[in-house]
Amino acid sequence: MKNSKPLVIFGESILPGENRTVNVEIARLHTTTKLNIPVIVRRSKIEGPVVLFSAGIHGDEINGVEVVRQIISKKINRPARGTIICIPIINMYGFVNKSREFPDGRDLNRVFPGSKKGSLASRFAYHIVAEVLPIIDYAVDFHAGGASRFNAPQIRITENNPELKILADIFNAPFTLYSKNINGSFRNTCEKANIKMLLFEGGKSLDINNVIANEGIMGVKRLLNHLGMLDHKQVVEYALEPSIYIKNSVWLRAKCSGLLHDYNLIGKFVTKGSILAIITDPFGKFEQKVKAPHDGFVINANHSPIVYEGDAIYHMSKNNSDNAYE
């Protein structure tokens, strides 16, 4: 079915079949230099859903930016029907400064739905909610681990949401975690607006990992193919195994300060007592083994070479014998 209805976003009207980059300026830099946030919109002439692919809510999570960049550069955002909106960098201010936060020190992912007259971060959240959310049906928001913590590629959804469960199955990341929405987060606001959002986590901040990016790209193709939006020139790759669902997990913390030597078991299933890393002092006087306290998957690893007692160093799934995986 052909569509003749224009889509209006940030004051610009885009007709079916049109491609447009809308440059959004919320506030200039302190040098009065303009800072535009490009919003790339591609529309098919055929009616269909509107899907958002976004990244860079945290300005230092570059791996997500790379996924959305590839969606554009590989022309995956050319819809067979409907509309695809790509915002590779939502927090351009943090991206410029290689920082997680906005210049006002606020975490953009904690101030949604924002305020028209609030802080800079709050104002930007307000404009995203006012301009983007009313026109989209689905969204995938790409993130990475913060503070040198490397996330295995994973989708995060809330429990007891059958529609999101179906979409997570289709995206088929290596892991799917059930996690509660955080107040003030983009995901929470989308859920309240009845927008079906998947949150993708993978890699770590200030880093690009091609394996992680590829997992994101493959998931996006599967999702678009399911929605009947994937261009016929694109090839869909299906995973050999279904996503591993994790309901319960626990953080392991360093029992002493020192140098962390990671054994690179991210994404692997380990048994109780397996050595995940060793912590040493700089002077060769001690070595302390970091052992798995139970069987489970390693879904996050701290890649910082220096840790302090109490630092979170591994995130592991727990209670797989109690139907933790589906």
Side-chain angles (χ1 to χ4, degrees):
M1 182 184 295
K2 286 196 173 182
N3 182 20
S4 59
K5 187 177 179 181
L7 180 146
V8 180
I9 184 169
F10 292 106
E12 294 203 28
S13 182
I14 306 168
L15 293 171
E18 285 190 332
N19 307 320
R20 186 85 57 83
T21 297
V22 180
N23 288 307
V24 180
E25 180 191 330
I26 303 299
R28 298 190 178 195
L29 294 177
H30 59 285
T31 58
T32 72
T33 304
K34 288 185 177 181
L35 191 65
N36 292 327
I37 292 88
V39 178
I40 297 98
V41 183
R42 293 197 71 143
R43 303 198 68 197
S44 169
K45 291 181 179 180
I46 303 171
E47 194 172 355
V50 180
V51 180
L52 169 69
F53 296 114
S54 59
I57 276 186
H58 296 130
D60 60 352
E61 294 179 4
I62 300 170
N63 219 94
V65 176
E66 172 62 13
V67 175
V68 183
R69 182 199 72 80
Q70 288 193 35
I71 291 171
I72 299 164
S73 68
K74 294 179 177 179
K75 298 182 172 54
I76 300 167
N77 67 324
R78 180 185 290 170
R81 70 183 187 112
T83 300
I84 296 177
I85 301 172
C86 291
I87 311 179
I89 308 170
I90 290 183
N91 180 4
M92 187 66 77
Y93 306 93
F95 184 79
V96 167
N97 293 320
K98 300 180 183 179
S99 168
R100 177 183 177 91
E101 294 85 10
F102 256 63
D104 60 13
R106 288 174 170 82
D107 183 335
L108 177 60
N109 211 28
R110 298 294 183 272
V111 298
F112 279 91
S115 168
K116 191 175 183 178
K117 296 183 179 180
S119 67
L120 177 59
S122 184
R123 291 182 188 208
F124 196 81
Y126 169 83
H127 286 291
I128 292 290
V129 171
E131 296 286 342
V132 180
L133 265 58
I135 61 176
I136 64 174
D137 304 299
Y138 301 90
V140 183
D141 192 34
F142 293 90
H143 289 257
S148 297
R149 296 187 181 96
F150 190 102
N151 272 318
Q154 59 195 250
I155 286 289
R156 295 185 183 179
I157 59 173
T158 53
E159 280 195 80
N160 304 317
N161 192 322
E163 289 181 305
L164 287 184
K165 172 69 165 59
I166 291 170
L167 295 178
D169 285 344
I170 290 158
F171 195 99
N172 202 16
F175 298 97
T176 301
L177 272 65
Y178 287 121
S179 68
K180 295 179 181 178
N181 283 333
I182 299 172
N183 287 335
S185 69
F186 189 32
R187 179 162 67 120
N188 190 48
T189 302
C190 282
E191 185 170 279
K192 289 181 178 178
N194 200 30
I195 294 163
K196 291 172 273 294
M197 171 185 270
L198 299 178
L199 188 147
F200 178 90
E201 280 275 0
K204 63 182 179 180
S205 59
L206 296 176
D207 183 64
I208 293 177
N209 183 287
N210 292 328
V211 174
I212 298 293
N214 191 52
E215 289 287 353
I217 292 297
M218 290 192 297
V220 164
K221 286 184 178 182
R222 294 175 198 131
L223 180 64
L224 290 176
N225 189 55
H226 168 74
L227 297 173
M229 297 176 68
L230 188 67
D231 187 271
H232 70 277
K233 294 179 182 178
Q234 298 291 337
V235 177
V236 182
E237 297 179 47
Y238 291 98
L240 297 175
E241 301 290 339
S243 184
I244 297 166
Y245 276 75
I246 297 175
K247 293 182 179 179
N248 301 299
S249 58
V250 64
W251 281 96
L252 279 62
R253 297 188 177 275
K255 294 181 179 179
C256 64
S257 303
L259 308 180
L260 180 67
H261 304 263
D262 176 47
Y263 279 18
N264 194 28
L265 294 171
I266 187 76
K268 303 287 179 62
F269 183 83
V270 297
T271 55
K272 181 178 179 179
S274 296
I275 300 173
L276 307 178
I278 59 170
I279 298 175
T280 70
D281 70 304
F283 312 109
K285 293 192 175 181
F286 77 84
E287 291 184 358
Q288 184 178 86
K289 295 175 181 177
V290 179
K291 295 182 180 180
H294 53 258
D295 295 356
F297 289 93
V298 180
I299 51 178
N300 180 286
N302 193 334
H303 282 181
S304 174
I306 298 173
V307 294
Y308 284 89
E309 183 177 334
D311 281 355
I313 50 177
Y314 290 103
H315 192 198
M316 283 187 62
S317 64
K318 187 179 180 182
N319 295 336
N320 56 309
S321 59
D322 297 329
N323 298 317
Y325 315 113
E326 298 177 356

